[in-house]
Amino acid sequence: MGREAVSIGADTFQFFTRNPRGSRAKELDPRDVEQYLEFAGEHGIGTIIAHAPYTLNACSADERVREFARQTLSDDLERMEHLPGNLYNFHPGSHVGQGTERGIALIADQLNHILRPDLHTTVLLETMSGKGSEVGGRFEELAAIIERVERKEKLGVCLDTCHVYDAGYDIVNDLDGVLDEFDRVIGLGRLRAVHVNDSKNPFASHRDRHEKIGEGSLGLEALRRIVHDPRLAGLPFCLETPNELPGYAAEIRLLREG
Ligand code: FE
Ligand code: FE
Ligand code: ZN
């Protein structure tokens, strides 16, 4: 992954900790870790993001599903200790009819079990589009989760541009206003990463379908403004657009210009 990232001019990358649909993770080889750290140092790769499988539901109504989410999250976090100081992003979950309040309480409860005092990873709640019964489509919902977690210092937020736009935050016409609101509700200090995606659907559609940069409803100019916003400077920006490697290389070039 590191090599691929460097080959397309990236200085960070995101990876799935395991098959996003499956559940098995490969055993970690300490030599791989050592080689990665050396490579990352040489090529200026900064903070990276591990993404939890998106099939997990930490606030399912089914206790076994919640238990599986908890085990997977804690297993991933244990493995992340081999690369201390990085980020681990997950989708908060879907309350599946139990109500947002209950969803928030369940997610916070999971985090209170998982976040050990000795962890060297920041766990990120991703902003969601609010599709179906997803929790995390409103900044207030993420704030409410954080509020209930004891070890808040281990928590951050990852802002996904497609998701927030689909959720009804107008980052195309009022980026400043949305960032002000994020700051007021969650605190910009919690913002630790950005997923840069265009959207296949119109504003406030609550759909969550990523589009290539410049080919969707957000458009290149809006996404460029985000990438160059001084309030977001220094954060890792990751593309999750429907592309192969050459497409990502072109999008990185496109976004860095201007
Ligand atoms: Fe995600
Ligand atoms: Fe995302
Ligand atoms: Zn998405």
Side-chain angles (χ1 to χ4, degrees):
M1 286 286 324
R3 267 172 227 288
E4 281 184 344
V6 168
S7 80
I8 58 170
D11 53 14
T12 182
F13 60 89
Q14 172 174 270
F15 63 99
F16 279 105
T17 53
R18 56 192 77 210
N19 181 327
R21 292 176 187 283
S23 61
R24 299 282 293 195
K26 261 197 331 195
E27 275 309 311
L28 266 187
D29 183 340
R31 275 170 313 180
D32 287 348
V33 172
E34 212 172 290
Q35 274 176 21
Y36 169 74
L37 289 173
E38 196 179 317
F39 183 85
E42 275 169 20
H43 292 86
I45 298 180
T47 307
I48 57 171
I49 312 172
H51 196 308
Y54 47 73
T55 45
L56 298 183
N57 188 3
C59 63
S60 168
D62 183 337
E63 207 203 305
R64 283 162 309 178
V65 175
R66 291 202 302 272
E67 176 61 28
F68 177 73
R70 183 183 304 186
Q71 268 171 20
T72 305
L73 294 169
S74 34
D75 182 51
D76 280 352
L77 279 175
E78 200 177 298
R79 296 154 61 84
M80 288 296 287
E81 288 300 291
H82 292 281
L83 293 172
N86 288 298
L87 306 168
Y88 179 61
N89 175 65
F90 81 108
H91 296 181
S94 294
H95 66 69
V96 286
Q98 304 171 94
T100 307
E101 271 304 301
R102 168 89 175 141
I104 287 167
L106 287 171
I107 296 159
D109 181 59
Q110 299 269 37
L111 289 166
N112 280 327
H113 280 90
I114 291 160
L115 297 177
R116 305 237 168 78
D118 53 333
L119 284 178
H120 297 87
T121 299
T122 301
V123 175
L124 306 185
L125 299 156
E126 182 166 351
T127 59
M128 303 309 291
S129 68
K131 177 182 60 183
S133 67
E134 258 173 11
V135 179
R138 304 292 312 165
F139 296 160
E140 284 79 3
E141 295 168 11
L142 298 179
I145 296 170
I146 295 166
E147 159 107 83
R148 287 171 184 251
V149 173
E150 275 162 56
R151 299 191 214 285
K152 295 178 177 48
E153 73 282 4
K154 309 228 178 268
L155 276 186
V157 170
C158 173
L159 185 142
D160 185 307
T161 57
C162 166
H163 297 177
V164 293
Y165 192 66
D166 283 10
Y169 292 99
D170 193 355
I171 51 176
V172 173
N173 297 300
D174 189 18
L175 176 60
D176 259 340
V178 173
L179 291 181
D180 284 345
E181 187 166 345
F182 188 102
D183 195 31
R184 185 176 55 78
V185 177
I186 300 175
L188 273 173
R190 289 260 176 232
L191 184 54
R192 302 296 299 276
V194 179
H195 287 163
V196 188
N197 303 306
D198 215 324
S199 173
K200 281 194 198 294
N201 290 293
F203 177 65
S205 59
H206 303 287
R207 294 290 289 279
D208 187 4
R209 300 274 316 280
H210 302 187
E211 181 54 283
K212 291 180 178 153
I213 301 301
E215 295 183 22
S217 55
L218 280 91
L220 175 60
E221 283 319 308
L223 291 167
R224 253 193 201 143
R225 273 199 298 278
I226 290 163
V227 168
H228 294 277
D229 192 287
R231 289 202 264 182
L232 309 178
L235 296 177
F237 289 87
C238 284
L239 294 163
E240 297 177 312
T241 49
N243 272 305
E244 301 296 332
L245 223 41
Y248 289 125
E251 289 187 342
I252 291 172
R253 268 184 263 118
L254 211 55
L255 285 166
R256 278 196 177 140
E257 288 166 15

